[in-house]
């Protein structure tokens, strides 16, 4: 039976298709509260008390990110280069999404619903001029602009106003990137047993949280934020898949059994404790074995663009009452507009930005040169840690694959 390491081809897999599909699960899920469909609730919560379909999709994103990012970190790139590539992948398109929202979408919505632009830019609270600065580092400090939104289904149903309610997960994803960088630095990816212990510990803590065994937040204040143990365990599973790729069989029978199990736990309970991990196995099997969709991204990788532009576009069209035209018209228009935005994002922002992945700005190069003694000391400490963790004569695990989205 073939293993993951023998079936995974970084240039011929269906991960692109899966991420595109998951991005649209997020759209359909969010259409509930944004457009007032599905009783005003996220799609999926009608059947599951644990997760919406959008939440399931986000877990899938984190799983594949964990796998691809770990493979990348296990390659030859240095730690500064690793972080530079992660920054290029996340920030440029996100910054453009913030600017387009504040200075294109929100002003048009204001003109349509309120009045002249002079009053928009002089709004006493939630200024469009501060929207970018308050959100640019992924921690969303300003959700709304100029007090807009009280006429929308989202406010009427939930009492909230938000121009990009999907973007809150990005800070958790980037935090996971930092964690992988640190794990590589201390040798926890070279000695995969150490990496596995850390990843399994995260999964175990998540299990305790969802089984409501003890009060983790009381003893570990970090976990007072329940989203850490919601989003990072899927990433941890991706790490395990990367570390033990040659030991994980890719069996279709097991994959479909896992899919059935995941669906049952989604509807009956236990999805966050058990079922989600079965789903990730199925997704990886599909990505590596169903390669007929390997060319899905021949026109570009649209998943990230869909993710960061969908909510602003859905909110924007809600100002013009598109949701009143019915479910089908609403979704068709949103899908077309979001695809256009994602296409432009990939070809004008994301792809050019990733073209700079091997470029070093002059000021950064000079700073790295000045920091050479400190870097040498860090490298020495890191090598000593790795020597301590890895028994003499043991084989060092290596791998290489640069994540396309992550």
């Amino acid at each position: 039976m073939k293993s993951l390491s023998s079936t995974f081809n970084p240039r011929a897999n269906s991960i692109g298709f899966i991420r595109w599909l998951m991005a649209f699960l997020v759209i359909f899920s969010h259409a509930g509260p944004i457009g007032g469909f599905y009783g005003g609730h996220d799609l999926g919560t009608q059947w599951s008390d644990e997760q919406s379909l959008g939440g399931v999709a986000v877990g899938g994103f984190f799983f594949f990110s964990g796998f691809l990012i770990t493979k990348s970190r296990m390659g030859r790139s240095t730690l500064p280069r690793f972080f530079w590539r992660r920054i290029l992948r996340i920030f440029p398109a996100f910054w453009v999404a913030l600017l387009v929202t504040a200075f294109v979408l929100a002003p048009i919505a204001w003109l349509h619903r309120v009045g002249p632009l002079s009053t928009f830019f002089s709004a006493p609270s939630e200024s469009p001029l501060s929207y970018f600065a308050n959100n640019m580092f992924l921690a969303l400090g300003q959700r709304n602009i100029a007090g807009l939104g009280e006429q929308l289904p989202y406010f009427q149903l939930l009492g909230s106003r938000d121009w990009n309610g999907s973007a809150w997960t990005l800070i958790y994803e980037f935090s996971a990137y930092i964690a992988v960088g640190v794990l590589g630095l201390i040798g926890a990816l070279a000695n995969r047993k150490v990496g596995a212990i850390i990843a399994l510990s995260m999964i175990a803590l998540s299990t305790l949280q969802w089984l409501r065994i003890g009060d983790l937040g009381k003893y570990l204040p970090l976990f007072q934020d329940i989203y850490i143990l919601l989003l990072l365990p899927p990433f941890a599973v991706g790490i395990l898949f990367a570390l033990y790729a040659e030991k994980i069989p890719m069996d279709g029978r097991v994959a479909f059994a896992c899919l059935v199990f995941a669906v049952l736990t989604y509807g009956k309970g236990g999805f966050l404790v058990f079922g989600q991990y079965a789903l990730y196995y199925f997704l990886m099997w599909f990505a590596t074995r169903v390669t007929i969709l390997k060319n899905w991204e021949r026109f570009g990788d649209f998943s990230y663009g869909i993710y960061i532009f969908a909510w602003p576009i859905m909110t924007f069209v809600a100002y013009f009452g598109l949701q009143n035209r019915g479910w089908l018209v609403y979704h068709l228009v949103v899908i077309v507009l979001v695809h256009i935005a994602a296409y432009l994002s990939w070809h004008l922002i994301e792809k050019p930005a990733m073209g700079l992945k091997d470029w070093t700005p002059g000021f950064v190069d000079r700073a790295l040169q000045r920091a050479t003694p400190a870097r040498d000391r860090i490298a020495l400490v890191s090598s000593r840690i790795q020597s301590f963790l890895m028994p003499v004569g043991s084989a060092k695990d290596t791998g290489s694959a640069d994540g396309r989205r992550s």
Side-chain angles (χ1 to χ4, degrees), residues 367-388:
L368 290 174
Q369 291 296 328
R370 289 194 294 270
T372 297
R375 292 169 61 198
D376 290 342
R377 287 194 293 272
I378 293 173
L380 178 61
V381 172
S382 177
S383 65
R384 288 177 176 175
I385 293 173
Q386 292 188 33
S387 298
F388 173 77

Side-chain angles (χ1 to χ4, degrees), residues 213-292:
I213 299 176
D215 185 354
L216 293 179
K218 179 179 179 181
Y219 302 104
L220 299 168
L222 176 68
F223 298 127
Q224 290 177 1
D225 180 354
I226 65 169
Y227 296 110
I228 292 175
L229 293 178
L230 175 68
L231 298 176
L232 296 192
F235 196 94
V237 177
I239 292 175
L240 291 173
F241 271 61
L243 293 177
Y244 288 91
E246 84 286 358
K247 293 184 178 297
I248 300 175
M250 289 288 100
D251 187 302
R253 294 164 299 181
V254 175
F256 279 97
C258 284
L259 178 61
V260 171
F261 180 72
V263 171
L264 288 175
T265 56
Y266 185 75
K268 300 296 184 180
F271 179 79
L272 290 176
V273 178
F274 307 110
Q276 63 170 326
Y277 307 119
L279 177 63
Y280 303 146
Y281 178 91
F282 171 81
L283 293 178
M284 184 60 77
W285 173 85
F286 187 96
T288 58
R289 303 298 283 170
V290 185
T291 55
I292 190 174

